[in-house]
Amino acid sequence: ELKVEQNPLFLSMQEGKNYTIYCNYSTTSDRLYWYRQDPGKSLESLFVLLSNGAVKQEGRLMASLDTKARLSTLHITAAVHDLSATYFCAVDGGGGADGLTFGKGTHLIIQP
Amino acid sequence: DAGVIQSPRHEVTEMGQEVTLRCKPISGHDYLFWYRQTMMRGLELLIYFNNNVPIDDSGMPEDRFSAKMPNASFSTLKIQPSEPRDSAVYFCASSSGRPNRKGNTEAFFGQGTRLTVV
């Protein structure tokens, strides 16, 4: 059974600081996804990481994937209040679009 | 494209009643997924379809849950009879399953249906 673990599950930080969210998964997979969810809203796709060593950046967010360690990170640089949300990582359990297994999410609060 | 469209956005029903949730995937997407989100269990995959055919329904919690996809542009998730523990947000998502020009194969989510069973 594929398991996806995120940590921390809750993070409160100040604007301007840097931090990293970690996502570990239990079985081999070469597709990892990061989603953002605002309260009461749907999930917004942030990054898709498809190969070992993949790194993608969008604004203050940068995601990376190490398939050997079965680890992905989401790094936040110089956080701003607008980044407050819950961030989910998800792993594709099969060779194709076989449905995603999600981590429990990291609830991120960025305080002015 | 308007994205994945779900209806209703909110549903409040009494225990024992039948509930039907609806989803219209993004045109051209071959895969359709139903997820359930609760505080206790997070996001769980219930069932997914490929080309309108159910592929994996191992996440469907009980026989009270059923899902259909009669055509490429419509799917339903039905709960009969509903119970209070079914209260959750139900998301539908669709995916092309094939990488786009950016190499992405992500699933796109609808706005969700917040179901409350009292």
Side-chain angles (χ1 to χ4, degrees), chain A residues 17-36:
Chain A
K17 299 292 187 182
N18 304 332
Y19 208 81
T20 301
I21 300 170
Y22 298 88
C23 175
N24 289 92
Y25 53 97
S26 61
T27 62
T28 302
S29 176
D30 56 2
R31 296 169 187 248
L32 189 134
Y33 306 79
W34 283 97
Y35 284 87
R36 167 180 172 152

Side-chain angles (χ1 to χ4, degrees), chain B residues 1 3 9 17 26-27 36 39 41 45 47-48 50 66 75 83 85 90-91 96 106 108:
Chain B
D1 199 311
R9 291 292 307 277
Q17 296 298 306
I26 292 173
S27 177
R36 178 172 68 176
M39 286 294 293
R41 302 176 67 89
L45 176 66
I47 184 172
Y48 79 92
N50 178 213
S66 63
S75 176
E83 297 182 3
R85 59 194 170 117
Y90 291 81
F91 286 103
S96 69
E106 72 264 44
F108 294 87

Side-chain angles (χ1 to χ4, degrees), chain B residues 11-104:
Chain B
E11 177 79 35
V12 180
T13 190
E14 289 185 341
M15 182 174 63
Q17 296 298 306
E18 177 181 294
V19 175
T20 300
L21 311 180
R22 298 173 175 78
C23 175
K24 181 180 186 303
I26 292 173
S27 177
H29 279 188
D30 299 330
Y31 289 82
L32 183 140
F33 309 86
W34 282 100
Y35 289 88
R36 178 172 68 176
Q37 186 177 34
T38 61
M39 286 294 293
M40 291 297 294
R41 302 176 67 89
L43 275 155
E44 304 171 279
L45 176 66
L46 300 177
I47 184 172
Y48 79 92
F49 297 82
N50 178 213
N51 292 323
N52 312 338
V53 176
I55 303 300
D56 184 356
D57 65 354
S58 59
M60 296 284 263
E62 300 174 30
D63 291 344
R64 298 183 296 106
F65 285 70
S66 63
K68 294 182 180 180
M69 192 166 185
N71 57 62
S73 60
F74 183 66
S75 176
T76 59
L77 178 67
K78 185 179 293 186
I79 308 172
Q80 166 63 21
S82 58
E83 297 182 3
R85 59 194 170 117
D86 302 330
S87 297
V89 179
Y90 291 81
F91 286 103
C92 175
S94 72
S95 167
S96 69
R98 294 177 296 278
N100 60 19
R101 275 179 288 180
K102 292 183 180 180
N104 294 339

Side-chain angles (χ1 to χ4, degrees), chain A residues 31 33 35 37 40-45 47-50 56 88 92 96-104, chain B residues 9 31 33 35 37 40-43 45 48 91 95 97 102-112 114:
Chain A
R31 296 169 187 248
Y33 306 79
Y35 284 87
Q37 186 178 36
K41 303 293 185 181
S42 185
L43 285 88
E44 174 191 356
S45 178
F47 300 108
V48 181
L49 302 169
L50 298 175
K56 291 195 174 180
F88 291 93
D92 187 336
D98 294 329
L100 301 175
T101 299
F102 282 83
K104 291 196 176 298
Chain B
R9 291 292 307 277
Y31 289 82
F33 309 86
Y35 289 88
Q37 186 177 34
M40 291 297 294
R41 302 176 67 89
L43 275 155
L45 176 66
Y48 79 92
F91 286 103
S95 167
K102 292 183 180 180
N104 294 339
T105 59
E106 72 264 44
F108 294 87
F109 283 74
Q111 293 298 307
R114 182 174 295 279

